[in-house]
Amino acid sequence: MTDAVIEARGVSKSFGTTRALEGVDLVVERGTVLGLLGPNGAGKTTLVRILTTLLAPDAGTARVAGHDVVREAPRVRAAIGLAGQFAAVDDLLTGRENLELVGLLYHLPKAERKRRAGEVLERLGLTDAGDRLARTYSGGMRRRLDLGASLVGRPSVLILDEPTTGLDPATRVDLWGFIEDLVASGMTLLLTTQYLEEADRLANRIVVIDHGRTIAEGTASELKDQLGGDLLEVTVADPAALDRAVELVAGLAHGSPTVDRVKRLVSAPATGKAAAVVAAASRFQAEGIDLEEISLRRPSLDDVFLALTGHGAEDVAAGSGERTASAGGAPARRARRAS
Amino acid sequence: MSAVGSLEHAVGAPGGQLPDAAESRGRFRLALADIGGVTRRNLLRTIRTPRLLVFSSIQPVMFVLLFRYVFAGAIHAPNGSYVDYLMPGIFVQTALFGGASTAVGLAADLQGGIIDRFRSLPMARSAVLAGRTVADLLRNIFVLVLMVVVGMLVGFRFHGGLGHDLASLGIVLLFGYAFSWLFATIGLLVRDPETAQIAGFLPLFPLVFASSAFVPVETMPGWLQAFANVQPVSVTVNAVRALASGAPAEHWVWQSLVWIAGFLVVFAVLAVRQYRRV
């Protein structure tokens, strides 16, 4: 038996005819960070709601901090902290009042909840704003306060549902710093995200789910290795040469190329490191096709994600963060409402 | 609990009360503390939105002025003074209309995600609903006192003696509290503040206006009288009116208390069931 702090076995959940989760298994070991990655509607939030006792599964079992999420829900609640994507803080309370209310609901004595509220404010850099109403906070401050609220009970397990969705890049990096501090202090963390960069930076292991099923699992580098080597990318100067470029790349690579016609970019997995670039460059030169750019790079989690889910693989090419962002937004709300 | 070790380690400070240890101090006392915390939160919200409080107080005042000075001449009160007839109806109406904010508040909390947070905490399951309805009861006390003052200013007087007068206000508050569980159920069902606002008022209009609150039931068509005579708002207004005017009241008070108890039981059960489901 491993030291699993979160353990889900065959968890299934349907809403009417929509099957949100179909037999998901998941293990988070003590002191590690698991990134649960998936597009909107994949079932991430449903799984989080089951693990935090907000929702009962139709089938399967889940244990958190050693307790069954259905039969021993109160014990699970006492052990976990939850922070969600919608920053569940009360606008009309001050930051400090928000935290003290959570402390009261953890049944902490008055002096203790004051102390912990002060501690959490300090830790999240909100001490100066602590006595202002939360509605005066910026988006990033609200997320920090929300994260802080999940820390008041000193949970051993922290579950963060898309903690940085909707934040600007700089604020996101700030929040990552705070989350990294928590992890460094020994907390076990389950983090859902649709930002691959976030999973790459914070998570020890990654589980990719789509349509309610686990489709891949491993460390970021294991997942990247699944693509088979590096990515050869070629950008042609003349759009007319694109089809020929695809044929050439197909001959050089060991996987089928993907094409972005707008960017005139062809990419495919390739082995052979720098030699592959040299070989490709000389083939294109021999054919008289002008190249704007040629490169070989390690696949990003974005590439893995695209390869695994197939979402947007034909209309978006590798390398840009745009596609994860464009997959976000409104559907997340619908997914949540449906759950 | 083994988890405690790691969380001590995590935050690096001595721990406080553990939920396990706290459970043994009596679940009831803890539940009361939870209800107190949620109530305080809701009251702070009310106090910090003074404009909402002001405008929601203006509405019943307008009703008083409208009926007292516009409609009064056309309505023949059974015992002479229309303002004495009117104000018990206004009290009950105010308590009910105020209760609609329970539906709006809960729906807003659901939408804002704060209910998810509450439900993920080791707090009493009943506290979110109880804290909401108790806060709305306290706010109703404030508005009711205001309405009594306004009533006095336009000529209303209690004639029941202190005990009966206070009892009449007590019934108004109890009735409003029982209804706030209906509104809690509505708020949890519709899950959206704007819809809750409208849905909350729907049951109120027939109950408040097809009742003895503003006009004698005898002036209504026969088929409507059959409804208006027995429905809870009429019965309660009659009880309040009888107590406040010093008339024999037992008959109405008794019936009103049965309605109050019925509403409390039925809608507390429905609301809690819906709360577990959201």
Coordinates of all heavy atoms in Angstrom, one line a residue, chain A residues 211-272:
Chain A
H211 N -13.4 13.8 -21.7 CA -14.7 13.1 -21.8 C -14.8 12.1 -20.6 O -15.3 11.0 -20.7 CB -14.8 12.3 -23.1 CG -14.7 13.2 -24.3 ND1 -15.6 14.2 -24.5 CD2 -13.9 13.2 -25.3 CE1 -15.3 14.8 -25.6 NE2 -14.2 14.3 -26.1
G212 N -14.4 12.5 -19.4 CA -14.7 11.7 -18.2 C -13.8 10.5 -18.0 O -14.0 9.7 -17.2
R213 N -12.8 10.4 -18.9 CA -11.8 9.2 -18.8 C -10.4 9.7 -18.6 O -10.0 10.7 -19.2 CB -11.9 8.3 -20.0 CG -13.2 7.6 -20.2 CD -13.2 6.9 -21.5 NE -14.5 6.3 -21.9 CZ -14.9 5.2 -21.4 NH1 -14.2 4.5 -20.6 NH2 -16.1 4.7 -21.8
T214 N -9.6 8.9 -17.9 CA -8.2 9.2 -17.9 C -7.6 8.8 -19.2 O -7.7 7.6 -19.6 CB -7.5 8.4 -16.8 OG1 -8.2 8.6 -15.5 CG2 -6.1 8.7 -16.6
I215 N -6.9 9.7 -19.9 CA -6.3 9.3 -21.1 C -4.7 9.2 -21.1 O -4.1 8.7 -22.0 CB -6.7 10.2 -22.3 CG1 -6.5 11.6 -22.0 CG2 -8.2 10.0 -22.6 CD1 -6.7 12.5 -23.2
A216 N -4.1 9.8 -20.0 CA -2.7 9.7 -19.9 C -2.3 10.0 -18.5 O -3.0 10.7 -17.8 CB -2.0 10.6 -20.9
E217 N -1.2 9.5 -18.1 CA -0.7 9.7 -16.7 C 0.8 9.6 -16.7 O 1.4 8.8 -17.3 CB -1.4 8.7 -15.8 CG -1.1 9.0 -14.3 CD -1.9 8.0 -13.4 OE1 -2.6 7.2 -14.0 OE2 -1.7 8.1 -12.2
G218 N 1.4 10.5 -15.9 CA 2.9 10.4 -15.8 C 3.4 11.7 -15.4 O 2.7 12.7 -15.1
T219 N 4.8 11.8 -15.3 CA 5.4 13.1 -15.0 C 5.4 13.9 -16.3 O 5.1 13.3 -17.4 CB 6.9 12.9 -14.6 OG1 7.6 12.3 -15.7 CG2 7.0 12.0 -13.4
A220 N 5.6 15.2 -16.2 CA 5.6 16.0 -17.5 C 6.6 15.5 -18.5 O 6.2 15.4 -19.7 CB 5.9 17.4 -17.1
S221 N 7.7 15.0 -18.0 CA 8.7 14.6 -19.0 C 8.3 13.2 -19.6 O 8.6 13.0 -20.8 CB 10.1 14.7 -18.4 OG 10.6 13.4 -18.1
E222 N 7.7 12.4 -18.8 CA 7.2 11.1 -19.3 C 6.2 11.3 -20.4 O 6.2 10.7 -21.5 CB 6.6 10.2 -18.2 CG 7.6 9.5 -17.4 CD 7.0 8.9 -16.1 OE1 5.7 9.0 -16.0 OE2 7.7 8.4 -15.3
L223 N 5.3 12.3 -20.1 CA 4.3 12.6 -21.1 C 4.9 13.1 -22.4 O 4.5 12.8 -23.5 CB 3.3 13.6 -20.6 CG 2.4 13.0 -19.4 CD1 1.5 14.1 -18.9 CD2 1.5 11.9 -20.0
K224 N 5.9 14.0 -22.3 CA 6.5 14.6 -23.4 C 7.3 13.5 -24.2 O 7.3 13.5 -25.5 CB 7.5 15.7 -23.0 CG 6.8 16.9 -22.5 CD 7.8 17.9 -21.9 CE 7.1 19.0 -21.3 NZ 8.0 19.9 -20.5
D225 N 7.8 12.5 -23.5 CA 8.5 11.4 -24.2 C 7.6 10.6 -25.0 O 8.0 10.0 -26.0 CB 9.3 10.5 -23.2 CG 10.5 11.2 -22.6 OD1 10.9 12.3 -23.2 OD2 11.0 10.8 -21.6
Q226 N 6.3 10.5 -24.6 CA 5.3 9.7 -25.3 C 5.2 10.2 -26.8 O 4.9 9.4 -27.6 CB 4.0 9.9 -24.7 CG 3.8 9.0 -23.5 CD 2.4 9.0 -23.0 OE1 1.5 9.7 -23.6 NE2 2.1 8.4 -21.8
L227 N 5.5 11.5 -27.0 CA 5.4 12.0 -28.4 C 6.5 11.4 -29.3 O 6.4 11.4 -30.5 CB 5.5 13.5 -28.4 CG 4.2 14.2 -28.2 CD1 4.4 15.7 -28.6 CD2 3.1 13.7 -29.1
G228 N 7.5 10.9 -28.6 CA 8.6 10.3 -29.4 C 9.6 11.3 -29.9 O 9.5 11.7 -31.1
G229 N 10.5 11.8 -29.1 CA 11.5 12.6 -29.5 C 11.1 14.1 -29.6 O 10.1 14.5 -29.1
D230 N 12.0 14.8 -30.4 CA 11.8 16.3 -30.5 C 10.9 16.6 -31.6 O 10.5 15.7 -32.4 CB 13.2 16.9 -30.7 CG 14.1 16.7 -29.5 OD1 13.5 16.6 -28.4 OD2 15.3 16.6 -29.7
L231 N 10.5 17.8 -31.7 CA 9.7 18.3 -32.8 C 10.5 19.1 -33.8 O 11.2 20.1 -33.4 CB 8.5 19.2 -32.2 CG 7.3 18.5 -31.7 CD1 6.3 19.6 -31.3 CD2 6.6 17.7 -32.8
L232 N 10.4 18.7 -35.0 CA 11.0 19.4 -36.1 C 10.0 20.4 -36.7 O 8.9 19.9 -37.0 CB 11.5 18.4 -37.2 CG 12.0 19.0 -38.5 CD1 13.3 19.8 -38.2 CD2 12.2 18.0 -39.6
E233 N 10.3 21.6 -36.8 CA 9.4 22.6 -37.3 C 10.0 23.4 -38.4 O 11.1 23.9 -38.3 CB 9.0 23.6 -36.2 CG 8.2 22.9 -35.0 CD 7.6 23.9 -34.0 OE1 8.2 25.0 -33.9 OE2 6.6 23.6 -33.4
V234 N 9.2 23.5 -39.5 CA 9.7 24.2 -40.7 C 8.6 25.2 -41.1 O 7.4 24.9 -41.2 CB 9.9 23.2 -41.8 CG1 10.1 23.9 -43.1 CG2 11.0 22.2 -41.5
T235 N 9.1 26.4 -41.3 CA 8.1 27.5 -41.8 C 8.6 27.9 -43.2 O 9.8 28.3 -43.4 CB 8.2 28.7 -40.9 OG1 7.9 28.3 -39.6 CG2 7.1 29.7 -41.3
V236 N 7.7 27.7 -44.2 CA 8.1 28.0 -45.6 C 7.8 29.4 -45.9 O 6.8 30.0 -45.3 CB 7.5 27.0 -46.6 CG1 8.0 25.6 -46.4 CG2 6.0 27.1 -46.5
A237 N 8.5 30.0 -46.8 CA 8.3 31.4 -47.2 C 7.1 31.6 -48.1 O 6.3 32.5 -48.0 CB 9.5 32.0 -47.8
D238 N 6.9 30.6 -49.0 CA 5.9 30.7 -50.0 C 4.8 29.7 -49.7 O 5.0 28.4 -49.7 CB 6.5 30.4 -51.4 CG 5.5 30.4 -52.5 OD1 4.3 30.8 -52.2 OD2 5.8 30.0 -53.6
P239 N 3.6 30.1 -49.5 CA 2.5 29.2 -49.2 C 2.3 28.1 -50.2 O 1.9 27.0 -49.9 CB 1.2 30.1 -49.1 CG 1.7 31.5 -49.0 CD 3.1 31.5 -49.6
A240 N 2.6 28.4 -51.5 CA 2.4 27.4 -52.5 C 3.3 26.2 -52.3 O 3.0 25.1 -52.8 CB 2.8 28.1 -53.9
A241 N 4.4 26.4 -51.6 CA 5.4 25.3 -51.4 C 5.0 24.4 -50.2 O 5.6 23.4 -49.8 CB 6.8 25.8 -51.1
L242 N 3.8 24.7 -49.5 CA 3.5 24.1 -48.3 C 3.2 22.6 -48.5 O 3.7 21.8 -47.7 CB 2.2 24.8 -47.7 CG 2.0 24.6 -46.2 CD1 3.2 25.1 -45.4 CD2 0.8 25.4 -45.8
D243 N 2.5 22.2 -49.5 CA 2.2 20.8 -49.7 C 3.5 20.0 -49.9 O 3.6 18.9 -49.4 CB 1.3 20.6 -50.9 CG -0.1 21.1 -50.6 OD1 -0.5 21.1 -49.4 OD2 -0.8 21.6 -51.5
R244 N 4.4 20.5 -50.7 CA 5.7 19.8 -51.0 C 6.5 19.7 -49.6 O 7.1 18.7 -49.3 CB 6.5 20.6 -52.0 CG 7.8 20.0 -52.4 CD 7.6 18.6 -53.0 NE 8.9 17.9 -53.1 CZ 9.1 16.6 -53.0 NH1 8.1 15.8 -52.6 NH2 10.3 16.0 -53.2
A245 N 6.4 20.8 -48.8 CA 7.1 20.8 -47.6 C 6.6 19.7 -46.6 O 7.3 19.0 -46.0 CB 6.9 22.2 -46.9
V246 N 5.2 19.5 -46.7 CA 4.7 18.4 -45.9 C 5.2 17.1 -46.3 O 5.6 16.2 -45.4 CB 3.1 18.4 -46.0 CG1 2.5 17.2 -45.3 CG2 2.5 19.7 -45.4
E247 N 5.3 16.8 -47.6 CA 5.9 15.6 -48.1 C 7.3 15.4 -47.6 O 7.7 14.3 -47.2 CB 5.8 15.5 -49.6 CG 4.4 15.3 -50.2 CD 4.4 15.6 -51.7 OE1 5.4 15.3 -52.4 OE2 3.4 16.1 -52.2
L248 N 8.1 16.5 -47.7 CA 9.5 16.4 -47.4 C 9.7 16.1 -45.9 O 10.4 15.2 -45.5 CB 10.2 17.7 -47.7 CG 10.5 18.0 -49.2 CD1 11.2 19.3 -49.4 CD2 11.3 16.9 -49.8
V249 N 8.9 16.8 -45.1 CA 9.0 16.6 -43.6 C 8.6 15.2 -43.3 O 9.2 14.5 -42.4 CB 8.1 17.7 -42.8 CG1 8.0 17.3 -41.4 CG2 8.7 19.0 -43.0
A250 N 7.5 14.7 -43.9 CA 7.1 13.3 -43.7 C 8.2 12.3 -44.0 O 8.3 11.3 -43.3 CB 5.8 13.0 -44.5
G251 N 9.0 12.6 -45.0 CA 10.0 11.7 -45.3 C 11.2 11.8 -44.3 O 11.9 10.8 -44.1
L252 N 11.3 12.9 -43.6 CA 12.4 13.0 -42.6 C 12.0 12.6 -41.2 O 12.9 12.2 -40.5 CB 12.9 14.5 -42.6 CG 13.5 15.0 -43.9 CD1 13.4 16.5 -44.0 CD2 15.0 14.5 -43.9
A253 N 10.8 12.8 -40.9 CA 10.3 12.6 -39.5 C 9.9 11.2 -39.4 O 9.8 10.4 -40.3 CB 9.2 13.5 -39.2
H254 N 9.6 10.8 -38.1 CA 9.1 9.4 -38.0 C 7.6 9.4 -37.4 O 7.1 8.5 -36.9 CB 10.0 8.6 -37.0 CG 9.9 9.0 -35.6 ND1 10.7 10.0 -35.1 CD2 9.1 8.6 -34.6 CE1 10.4 10.1 -33.8 NE2 9.5 9.3 -33.5
G255 N 7.0 10.6 -37.6 CA 5.5 10.6 -37.3 C 4.9 11.4 -38.4 O 5.6 12.1 -39.1
S256 N 3.6 11.4 -38.4 CA 2.9 12.2 -39.5 C 2.9 13.7 -39.1 O 2.7 14.0 -37.9 CB 1.5 11.7 -39.7 OG 0.8 11.6 -38.5
P257 N 3.2 14.6 -40.1 CA 3.3 16.0 -39.8 C 2.0 16.6 -39.5 O 0.9 16.2 -40.0 CB 3.9 16.6 -41.1 CG 4.2 15.4 -41.9 CD 3.4 14.2 -41.5
T258 N 2.0 17.7 -38.8 CA 0.8 18.6 -38.6 C 1.1 19.9 -39.3 O 2.2 20.3 -39.4 CB 0.4 18.9 -37.2 OG1 1.5 19.5 -36.6 CG2 0.0 17.6 -36.4
V259 N 0.0 20.5 -39.9 CA 0.2 21.7 -40.7 C -0.6 22.8 -40.2 O -1.8 22.6 -39.8 CB -0.3 21.4 -42.2 CG1 0.2 22.5 -43.1 CG2 0.2 20.1 -42.7
D260 N 0.0 24.0 -40.1 CA -0.7 25.2 -39.8 C -0.6 26.1 -41.1 O 0.5 26.7 -41.3 CB -0.1 25.9 -38.6 CG -0.9 27.2 -38.3 OD1 -1.6 27.7 -39.2 OD2 -0.9 27.6 -37.1
R261 N -1.7 26.1 -41.9 CA -1.6 26.8 -43.2 C -1.4 28.3 -43.0 O -0.8 29.0 -43.8 CB -2.8 26.5 -44.0 CG -2.8 25.0 -44.4 CD -3.7 24.6 -45.5 NE -3.5 23.2 -45.9 CZ -2.6 22.8 -46.8 NH1 -1.9 23.7 -47.4 NH2 -2.4 21.6 -47.0
V262 N -2.0 28.9 -42.0 CA -1.9 30.3 -41.8 C -0.5 30.7 -41.5 O 0.0 31.7 -42.0 CB -2.8 30.7 -40.6 CG1 -2.7 32.2 -40.3 CG2 -4.3 30.4 -40.9
K263 N 0.2 29.9 -40.6 CA 1.6 30.3 -40.3 C 2.5 29.6 -41.2 O 3.7 29.8 -41.1 CB 1.9 29.8 -38.8 CG 1.1 30.5 -37.8 CD 1.5 30.0 -36.4 CE 0.8 30.8 -35.3 NZ 0.8 30.0 -34.0
R264 N 2.0 28.8 -42.2 CA 2.9 28.1 -43.2 C 3.9 27.2 -42.4 O 5.1 27.2 -42.8 CB 3.6 29.1 -44.1 CG 2.7 30.1 -44.8 CD 3.4 31.0 -45.8 NE 4.5 31.7 -45.2 CZ 4.4 32.8 -44.4 NH1 3.2 33.4 -44.3 NH2 5.4 33.4 -43.9
L265 N 3.4 26.6 -41.4 CA 4.3 25.8 -40.5 C 4.0 24.3 -40.6 O 2.8 23.9 -40.5 CB 4.1 26.3 -39.1 CG 4.8 25.6 -38.0 CD1 6.2 26.2 -37.8 CD2 4.1 25.6 -36.7
V266 N 5.0 23.5 -40.8 CA 4.9 22.1 -40.8 C 5.7 21.6 -39.6 O 6.8 22.0 -39.4 CB 5.4 21.5 -42.1 CG1 5.2 19.9 -42.1 CG2 4.7 22.1 -43.3
S267 N 5.1 20.7 -38.8 CA 5.9 20.1 -37.7 C 5.6 18.6 -37.6 O 4.5 18.2 -37.9 CB 5.6 20.8 -36.4 OG 4.2 20.7 -36.1
A268 N 6.7 17.9 -37.1 CA 6.5 16.5 -36.9 C 7.6 16.0 -35.9 O 8.7 16.6 -35.8 CB 6.7 15.8 -38.3
P269 N 7.3 14.9 -35.2 CA 8.3 14.4 -34.3 C 9.5 13.9 -35.1 O 9.3 13.3 -36.2 CB 7.6 13.2 -33.6 CG 6.1 13.4 -34.0 CD 6.1 14.2 -35.2
A270 N 10.7 14.1 -34.6 CA 11.9 13.7 -35.3 C 13.0 13.2 -34.3 O 13.0 13.7 -33.2 CB 12.4 14.8 -36.1
T271 N 13.8 12.3 -34.7 CA 14.9 11.9 -33.9 C 16.2 12.4 -34.6 O 16.1 12.8 -35.7 CB 15.0 10.4 -33.7 OG1 14.9 9.8 -35.0 CG2 13.9 9.9 -32.8
G272 N 17.3 12.3 -33.9 CA 18.5 12.6 -34.6 C 19.1 14.0 -34.2 O 20.1 14.4 -34.7

